[in-house]
Amino acid sequence: MSERLDGVLAMILAVVAAVGAWLSGRSKRIRELEARVEELEATNRAQWLYIQDLINHIYRGKPAPPPPPPEGLLT
């Protein structure tokens, strides 16, 4: 009986460890994706603001050159 109980406990422990490892990997991936989304949203905001500057420049009839893009936007 003791050997059978030890086997069951070992299987339960293995399942718990596997689920823990899976959850750990999953949470790491979620953190990476959240960081990527924040980066893309910041780029999107900078692009939108620059496009608005270009539209305002044209609308006001200002001559060339257009306003410069924000640092790092086009790289």
Side-chain angles (χ1 to χ4, degrees), residues 4-24:
R4 184 172 178 180
L5 184 59
D6 288 344
V8 169
L9 288 175
M11 286 182 6
I12 291 172
L13 183 60
V15 168
V16 168
V19 169
W22 180 80
L23 287 174
S24 174

Side-chain angles (χ1 to χ4, degrees), residues 21-40:
W22 180 80
L23 287 174
S24 174
R26 192 77 168 159
S27 67
K28 179 181 180 240
R29 178 71 175 143
I30 289 171
R31 283 191 308 272
E32 290 171 354
L33 290 173
E34 287 174 342
R36 175 95 169 114
V37 166
E38 288 176 9
E39 176 185 335
L40 291 172

Side-chain angles (χ1 to χ4, degrees), residues 49-60:
L49 290 173
Y50 179 55
I51 290 168
Q52 283 302 120
D53 284 347
L54 291 174
I55 290 170
N56 290 338
H57 182 83
I58 293 167
Y59 178 75
R60 292 183 179 123

